[in-house]
Amino acid sequence: MQDFTGIDAKLERAAENIENLYSEMVRFFQKCDYPVPPKDNDELFSEAIEHFKNLPVPPRFGVLVGEINHQLRSCFDHIVWHFSIASIGNMDNIRKIEFPVFDTLPAKKTSSELFEGKIKGVTDSKARALIAKFQPYKAAEPHDSPLWIIHDFDIVDKHRELILDYAPATAIAVPGEMRGVMESYQRAHPELNAANVARNFESYGTPQFCVAFRNFGRRGAKCVTEGLIELFKHTDNVINEFRNL
């Protein structure tokens, strides 16, 4: 079993920050004019949607989301460092060491060399196989791969702000187990926005307003805490596979 003490500390910090961010968002909505979606009153419900359309998302939320995501991206890079450690002294440029993230198969010479350069120091064949296994290009939709989303968010956060909002189509958080059912219902009722669709699922849990990623891969909008938990779980699962080598 691999000793991933440093990586585990990063995962622990990311989990702690997700909890803290969730608490901050709860307090934020509690102080808003509409802390919960108005029930049985379409006029008030529409007013609540308009309220959030015109309410800026606190910049601090984007900063915290970026920090959490960076911890997750860093976990992947630390994996490659961990398995490269015995070869560090023989490498020409240790700054190239990182977990490669490719949305297309690195078949051309240039992309293949780039991929190989990032893991040049990894000699463990099983570790190399796992690095290839989790590449986004192996997924049915590479840009919906959690690893690609983590990688993309990290690049975006370095150069500009992550885009968060409460657009009407993203304003409601419903229980996670009902997400697929709700999306199918919405496709069958294109005249309804996601917020109004969610109201039809109140018997499964009280819908809540939420801050959302405007784009979560190619899946469109997704509530921030729900998205971060998905990315965290994926990272944790990947790390565990490497841990057991």
Side-chain angles (χ1 to χ4, degrees):
M1 174 114 15
Q2 304 291 332
D3 181 7
F4 286 170
T5 303
I7 296 173
D8 290 339
K10 285 182 173 293
L11 284 172
E12 183 178 347
R13 182 60 174 166
E16 178 183 319
N17 284 340
I18 292 173
E19 291 183 12
N20 292 339
L21 175 61
Y22 175 76
S23 297
E24 285 199 30
M25 288 182 172
V26 168
R27 291 194 295 271
F28 169 77
F29 281 106
Q30 287 174 342
K31 294 178 181 179
C32 289
D33 292 348
Y34 298 92
V36 296
K39 289 185 176 182
D40 305 319
N41 189 318
D42 290 340
E43 183 177 350
L44 279 180
F45 189 80
S46 296
E47 288 180 5
I49 294 297
E50 288 301 314
H51 169 72
F52 286 109
K53 275 186 180 181
N54 299 309
L55 184 67
V57 176
R60 175 176 169 80
F61 290 168
V63 172
L64 293 176
V65 169
E67 290 178 357
I68 293 166
N69 186 77
H70 183 68
Q71 292 286 5
L72 300 181
R73 181 64 178 95
S74 181
C75 285
F76 285 92
D77 290 340
H78 275 244
I79 284 290
V80 177
W81 273 89
H82 178 86
F83 286 98
S84 298
I85 197 67
S87 304
I88 291 289
N90 300 320
M91 292 190 65
D92 298 329
N93 189 353
I94 61 174
R95 292 185 179 182
K96 292 181 179 179
I97 298 175
E98 64 178 59
F99 198 102
V101 181
F102 283 66
D103 59 342
T104 58
L105 178 68
K108 294 182 179 180
K109 181 179 180 180
T110 52
S111 58
S112 181
E113 288 176 347
L114 181 60
F115 186 99
E116 180 61 28
K118 295 177 185 296
I119 61 171
K120 182 178 179 181
V122 180
T123 57
D124 187 313
S125 60
K126 292 182 179 179
R128 280 176 163 261
L130 280 182
I131 290 171
K133 172 185 175 180
F134 291 113
Q135 288 303 305
Y137 66 76
K138 294 289 187 73
E141 176 45 72
H143 291 165
D144 279 344
S145 159
L147 176 55
W148 179 265
I149 294 173
I150 291 170
H151 176 69
D152 184 54
F153 279 175
D154 196 48
I155 292 174
V156 170
D157 188 56
K158 288 176 183 176
H159 303 287
R160 58 189 187 276
E161 292 182 8
L162 290 168
I163 301 176
L164 311 178
D165 63 18
Y166 340 77
T170 70
I172 298 291
V174 297
E177 64 272 16
M178 294 306 300
R179 178 68 61 183
V181 177
M182 188 192 78
E183 289 173 352
S184 296
Y185 183 88
Q186 185 172 12
R187 286 193 292 272
H189 297 83
E191 74 281 5
L192 301 177
N193 64 41
N196 284 310
V197 169
R199 297 180 71 189
N200 289 281
F201 291 83
E202 290 182 350
S203 60
Y204 296 95
T206 304
Q208 298 291 328
F209 289 116
C210 72
V211 178
F213 291 109
R214 186 174 298 176
N215 292 294
F216 192 79
R218 292 188 175 175
R219 287 176 269 178
K222 192 177 188 70
C223 286
V224 164
T225 50
E226 182 181 318
L228 289 174
I229 290 172
E230 177 182 332
L231 299 181
F232 176 89
K233 287 182 176 179
H234 178 76
T235 303
D236 190 38
N237 289 337
V238 171
I239 298 305
N240 281 333
E241 290 213 35
F242 280 96
R243 191 193 309 277
N244 292 323
L245 290 181

